[in-house]
């Protein structure tokens, strides 16, 4: 896709063209462009949010997952717990447990017992 094609796609998406938005999300996901996905997710696009969570988890981006989790996104919280558990990140699990996340508390207990 050329720069002018991308600009035209972004303009169409900005004007509310649903298919252009979907195409932009797909392109951003393929290119690993968290910025575009974040912008669309912050505008309330659930497909962009789902793609952002998936990509952030694949890239091991705790910060992005934390940001979404702290905004109340349960899927992001689950992915954050999974990633923190894989990395042995007790501080992150403790932070989530302190916020009342039962799954994080369970994972923390498992990692610290024994």
């Amino acid at each position: 896709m050329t720069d002018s094609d991308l600009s035209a796609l972004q303009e169409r998406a900005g004007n509310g063209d649903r298919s252009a938005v979907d195409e932009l999300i797909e392109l951003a996901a393929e290119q690993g462009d968290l910025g575009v996905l974040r912008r669309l997710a912050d505008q309330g696009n659930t497909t962009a949010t789902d793609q952002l969570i998936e990509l952030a988890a694949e890239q091991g981006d705790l910060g992005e997952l934390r940001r979404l989790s702290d905004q109340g996104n349960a899927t992001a919280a689950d992915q954050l717990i999974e990633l923190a558990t894989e990395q042995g990140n007790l501080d992150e699990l403790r932070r989530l447990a302190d916020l009342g996340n039962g799954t994080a508390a369970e994972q923390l207990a498992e990692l610290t017992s024994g």
Side-chain angles (χ1 to χ4, degrees):
M1 176 172 281
T2 67
D3 285 344
S4 71
D5 290 342
L6 180 58
S7 293
L9 180 63
Q10 290 171 330
E11 184 177 337
R12 287 181 27 233
N15 289 331
D17 181 331
R18 253 334 275 162
S19 63
V21 172
D22 291 343
E23 190 176 338
L24 192 56
I25 291 168
E26 185 178 330
L27 183 63
E30 288 172 3
Q31 295 179 344
D33 192 336
L34 291 174
V36 169
L37 293 172
R38 185 180 304 115
R39 181 176 54 80
L40 293 169
D42 288 349
Q43 293 172 358
N45 187 298
T46 57
T47 303
T49 302
D50 293 344
Q51 288 294 315
L52 179 58
I53 292 167
E54 185 178 324
L55 190 58
E58 287 173 6
Q59 294 181 357
D61 190 336
L62 285 172
E64 188 63 40
L65 292 172
R66 184 181 305 118
R67 183 183 80 84
L68 294 165
S69 173
D70 289 352
Q71 292 175 358
N73 188 298
T75 304
D78 291 344
Q79 289 295 314
L80 180 57
I81 291 166
E82 185 176 322
L83 188 58
T85 300
E86 288 172 5
Q87 295 178 352
N89 188 331
L90 301 181
D91 290 337
E92 186 62 36
L93 291 171
R94 192 170 293 112
R95 184 187 78 83
L96 292 166
D98 289 347
L99 291 171
N101 188 301
T103 305
E106 290 171 14
Q107 290 297 320
L108 184 61
E110 279 185 36
L111 289 173
T112 58
S113 69

